[in-house]
């Protein structure tokens, strides 16, 4: 396996009309190996029964995620290159959300035999280029025939001597801060779901997220007490922190950035643009809790506060369920239970009655 500089020049291209069936399993593996990156952390890459990846820290951060055609992406909505970028990004972001630096991916790829070979190789190019952003490599994987395109990725990372930043450490008195954009992917999904392709910026955000990878290790260095990436929706993912930490979190909607493209989409479809920001997933922004005395860089935006679980609401405001439609095809209701009748996550001091985010089985 060779390294990469992001250029496709000189890389093997499939013959016109060639499919995975004509290329064959081992031809596909050879073509993928030639395209995918490697780095010094991979001591033994593809070609044996297993890879060997260095763990100089003595610990390995590991996470896994899947993408299934028709559920997480559609081939008529996204180019294969974009699917590769997205598949890598959502896994690399999970590593960053532990305060770690990604080092390697293991990629399993299932696809129909009649899938054009060019699709698979363009997908690999997307994987390669997203890995290049963080200096990670593809250490190995598997290919198999499947009725749909199914991608499973395991991402590995290093903590570089730091303790992991988990969901369990938020404390009353902490501030809640976010790095990265929120709601853009959800707005793009809403556009695509109605058969449109503009505003292009939100469509591209859905096809190819841009996680703030460096913000994960940065949050750890700043002393973040809890950290998570926003994959299911801001309220839903803050709910994971609140539940794990035994606290309540209140979000101040006045601090949230509702960008103009989100406003334009909401106006066109009769939706509330704030709902994109509060409940939309797959942007993979990072949201963390910090002690109140921590001085945060400008790219971290304080959006709320952590309270004791038994605290009462700070205001009497409540959200109207009719004003907050779901931004995706699936959602989970904002019914995370706290104490005293309060949910674990509130907005402007009151219960948010709309969907809190995404749930695969609801």
């Amino acid at each position: 396996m060779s390294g990469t500089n992001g250029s496709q020049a000189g890389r093997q291209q499939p013959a016109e009309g060639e499919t995975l069936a004509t290329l064959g399993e081992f031809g596909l593996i050879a073509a993928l190996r030639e395209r995918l990156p490697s780095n010094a952390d991979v001591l033994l890459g593809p070609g044996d029964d297993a890879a060997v990846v260095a763990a100089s820290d003595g610990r390995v951060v590991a996470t896994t995620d899947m993408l299934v055609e028709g559920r997480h992406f559609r081939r008529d909505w996204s180019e294969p290159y974009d699917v590769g970028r997205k598949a890598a990004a959502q896994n690399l972001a999970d590593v960053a959300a532990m305060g770690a630096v990604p080092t390697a991916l293991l990629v399993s790829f299932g696809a129909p035999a009649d899938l054009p070979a060019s699709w698979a190789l363009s997908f690999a190019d997307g994987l390669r280029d997203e890995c290049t952003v963080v200096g990670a490599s593809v250490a190995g994987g598997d290919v198999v025939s499947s009725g749909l395109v199914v991608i499973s990725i395991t991402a590995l990372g290093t903590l570089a001597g730091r303790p992991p930043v988990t969901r369990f450490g938020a404390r009353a008195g902490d501030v809640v801060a976010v790095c990265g954009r929120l709601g853009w992917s959800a707005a793009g999904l809403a556009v695509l779901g109605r058969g449109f392709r503009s505003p292009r910026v939100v469509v591209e955000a859905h096809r190819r997220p841009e996680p703030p990878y460096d913000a994960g290790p940065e949050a750890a260095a700043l002393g973040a007490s809890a950290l998570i990436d926003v994959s299911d929706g801001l309220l839903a993912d803050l709910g994971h922190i609140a539940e794990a930490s035994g606290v309540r979190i209140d979000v101040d909607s006045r601090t949230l950035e509702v960008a103009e493209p989100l406003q334009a989409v909401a106006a066109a479809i009769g939706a509330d643009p704030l709902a994109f920001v509060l409940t939309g997933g797959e942007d993979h922004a990072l949201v963390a809790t910090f002690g109140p005395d921590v001085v945060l860089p400008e790219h971290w935006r304080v959006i709320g506060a952590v309270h004791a679980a038994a605290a009462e609401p700070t205001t009497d405001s409540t959200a109207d369920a009719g004003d907050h439609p779901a931004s995706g095809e699936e959602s989970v209701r904002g019914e995370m239970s706290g104490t005293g009748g309060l949910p674990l996550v509130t907005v402007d001091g009151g219960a948010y009655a709309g969907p809190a985010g995404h749930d695969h089985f609801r």
Side-chain angles (χ1 to χ4, degrees):
M1 183 184 299
S2 60
T4 179
N5 60 6
S7 170
Q8 298 185 31
R11 296 187 179 276
Q12 177 181 339
Q13 297 296 327
E16 184 175 356
E18 191 169 22
T19 67
L20 298 188
T22 56
L23 187 61
E25 176 184 357
F26 298 105
L28 174 60
I29 291 172
L32 293 175
R33 286 180 60 185
E34 199 267 334
R35 305 175 94 80
L36 293 174
S38 184
N39 63 23
D41 290 301
V42 178
L43 306 181
L44 179 65
D48 218 307
D49 292 312
V52 179
V53 180
S56 56
D57 179 78
R59 301 165 297 172
V60 176
V61 174
T63 183
T64 189
D65 214 340
M66 295 182 68
L67 283 87
V68 178
E69 181 183 356
R71 175 63 62 186
H72 301 99
F73 68 91
R74 285 175 41 171
R75 280 193 265 162
D76 57 333
W77 283 3
S78 298
E79 295 297 323
Y81 178 84
D82 295 332
V83 177
R85 296 291 296 252
K86 185 173 185 175
Q90 68 182 43
N91 284 273
L92 297 170
D94 278 341
V95 173
M98 299 300 293
V101 176
T103 56
L105 299 183
L106 299 170
V107 182
S108 293
F109 179 77
D114 61 357
L115 184 78
S118 59
W119 199 102
L121 298 186
S122 181
F123 164 78
D125 289 340
L127 280 177
R128 176 200 67 213
D129 288 352
E130 194 66 27
C131 284
T132 299
V133 173
V134 296
S137 67
V138 176
D142 191 21
V143 298
V144 65
S145 177
S146 172
L148 298 171
V149 176
V150 179
I151 302 147
S152 179
I153 296 181
T154 296
L156 308 176
T158 178
L159 290 162
R162 296 181 298 268
V165 186
T166 69
R167 305 174 180 184
F168 299 90
R171 301 175 296 270
D174 284 353
V175 299
V176 180
V178 66
C179 182
R181 58 192 186 186
L182 295 168
W184 289 65
S185 178
L189 177 62
V191 168
L192 288 166
R194 287 161 175 78
F196 300 106
R197 297 293 186 270
S198 63
R200 186 173 180 83
V201 287
V202 296
V203 171
E204 291 303 312
H206 177 70
R207 290 170 172 162
R208 191 187 304 176
E210 298 179 1
Y213 299 117
D214 291 343
E218 178 183 57
L222 288 168
S225 54
L227 179 63
I228 195 170
D229 84 306
V230 182
S231 56
D232 295 327
L234 177 64
L235 299 185
D237 288 314
L238 284 176
H240 298 321
I241 289 180
E243 182 175 16
S245 300
V247 298
R248 185 175 63 82
I249 293 174
D250 185 59
V251 175
D252 183 351
S253 66
R254 297 168 300 180
T255 66
L256 298 172
E257 180 183 8
V258 184
E260 190 281 329
L262 278 62
Q263 298 180 41
V265 172
I269 66 175
D272 177 3
L274 183 61
F276 291 142
V277 177
L278 290 173
T279 69
E282 293 196 324
D283 286 299
H284 300 288
L286 295 182
V287 62
T289 57
F290 297 92
D293 298 327
V294 175
V295 178
L296 296 174
E298 290 185 0
H299 49 269
W300 283 94
R301 177 190 296 266
V302 175
I303 62 167
V306 180
H307 303 281
E312 291 299 321
T314 56
T315 76
D316 293 326
S317 64
T318 57
D320 183 343
D323 292 337
H324 300 284
S327 57
E329 62 183 0
E330 297 174 341
S331 63
V332 56
R333 303 296 296 181
E335 297 173 349
M336 298 163 290
S337 60
T339 58
L342 286 172
L344 294 180
V345 180
T346 54
V347 179
D348 300 330
Y352 186 82
H358 180 82
D359 184 320
H360 285 285
F361 296 103
R362 294 186 181 178

